[in-house]
Amino acid sequence: MSWFESFILGLVQGLTEFLPISSSAHLRLTAAFAGWHDPGAAFTAITQIGTETAVLIYFRKDIARIVSAWFRSLTDKSMRSDHDAQMGWLVIVGSIPIGVLGITLKDQIEGPFRDLRLIATTLIVMGVVLGVADRLAARDEIGGRHRAIRERKTLKDLGVRDGLVYGVCQAMALIPGVSRSGATISGGLLMGYTREAAARYSFLLAIPAVLASGAYELKDAGEGHVSWGPTIFATIVAFAVGYAVIAWFMKFITTKSFMPFVIYRILLGILLFVLVGTDVLSPHAGESAG
């Protein structure tokens, strides 16, 4: 991998990680469209450490409060009813599904799941799911002639059941094209949470999963055509761009609909099907060289 490739891929990772359009799919597609080798699951997981570092910094006050309360709750029973302490446990519980499936499906994640036809399918299907979830949230928020405005749930309403549902949604993102934020935010909206609450928990829930995945894949960073230097450079680029994107996105979701992302996902999925169907792109483009 050249330094230019690593810069572009780091830029793509930072731009797409927090948007509900799938960063892993865009890394895969960027390489396929450019005629580069598939950067692979290991490169993707490691560069996500960069964007997740942006989450740690952006939510540093929330994270420090949750971690502090969680540790204190281990020895102080009175702290176990504290919302922040409970959030610590809920993040742990919600991380179980992706941890189990990530290890179980490792070979599929690095192989069959990177087929461009599957990516096209997940882009479209999850785009439709996000659109339905967004529409239901908008209906509750604005009401209508014969429908009152309905109050949606916040993170104070989050329990073990909903935490596990969020976790299962996050685990779906092991398939490129699903999108970690897209799946968890859709799940949150369908369960009746506000946009801000769904996004905030989505980002907090991703921290242990992404950092653990990146650490696990560190041993493979120097294998094949991807070397340490370009991987670290891409991770730094992803961090810088990702921090700017997350700040923008958290403001965007408080007043805007997710429909632009829904339309983008569906159109990209259709385009991908057309390109593969007309043999412009191979469904396994770049894989043999990776």
Side-chain angles (χ1 to χ4, degrees), residues 158-192:
L158 186 65
V160 173
R161 183 188 69 86
D162 287 358
L164 279 173
V165 173
Y166 267 111
V168 172
C169 291
Q170 177 178 240
M172 293 170 60
L174 292 169
I175 305 174
V178 170
S179 169
R180 186 190 312 275
S181 64
T184 50
I185 289 173
S186 294
L189 294 179
L190 290 172
M191 287 189 289

Side-chain angles (χ1 to χ4, degrees), residues 237-277:
V237 172
F239 160 74
V241 177
Y243 187 85
V245 171
I246 192 174
W248 170 82
F249 186 63
M250 290 304 295
K251 294 179 181 178
F252 175 89
I253 61 173
T254 58
T255 57
K256 305 294 183 181
S257 165
F258 288 116
M259 289 310 295
F261 303 115
V262 172
I263 295 170
Y264 173 78
R265 288 181 64 106
I266 293 174
L267 291 179
L268 180 59
I270 293 172
L271 173 62
L272 195 51
F273 268 129
V274 170
L275 293 176
V276 172

Side-chain angles (χ1 to χ4, degrees), residues 139-157:
R139 187 175 65 179
D140 287 347
E141 291 165 357
I142 64 177
R145 179 179 298 180
H146 305 293
R147 187 174 55 249
I149 294 176
R150 178 184 173 188
E151 186 175 351
R152 304 204 114 223
K153 294 188 284 188
T154 69
L155 289 184
K156 291 186 180 297
D157 301 304

Side-chain angles (χ1 to χ4, degrees), residues 187-204:
L189 294 179
L190 290 172
M191 287 189 289
Y193 287 87
T194 65
R195 300 170 193 271
E196 194 274 340
R200 185 172 290 269
Y201 184 63
S202 171
F203 293 150
L204 293 175

Side-chain angles (χ1 to χ4, degrees), residues 17-28:
E17 171 67 15
F18 304 118
L19 305 183
I21 56 177
S22 179
S23 61
S24 57
H26 279 76
L27 288 175
R28 175 79 177 92

Side-chain angles (χ1 to χ4, degrees), residues 17 24 45 48 52 90-106 109 113 163-175 178-181 183-184 202 204-214 216:
E17 171 67 15
S24 57
Q48 284 177 337
E52 216 53 41
L90 289 170
V91 168
I92 293 173
V93 168
S95 299
I96 293 173
I98 197 170
V100 173
L101 292 176
I103 295 173
T104 305
L105 301 175
K106 185 177 187 299
I109 294 168
F113 285 1
L164 279 173
V165 173
Y166 267 111
V168 172
C169 291
Q170 177 178 240
M172 293 170 60
L174 292 169
I175 305 174
V178 170
S179 169
R180 186 190 312 275
S181 64
T184 50
S202 171
L204 293 175
L205 184 60
I207 293 172
V210 171
L211 294 181
S213 175
Y216 179 78

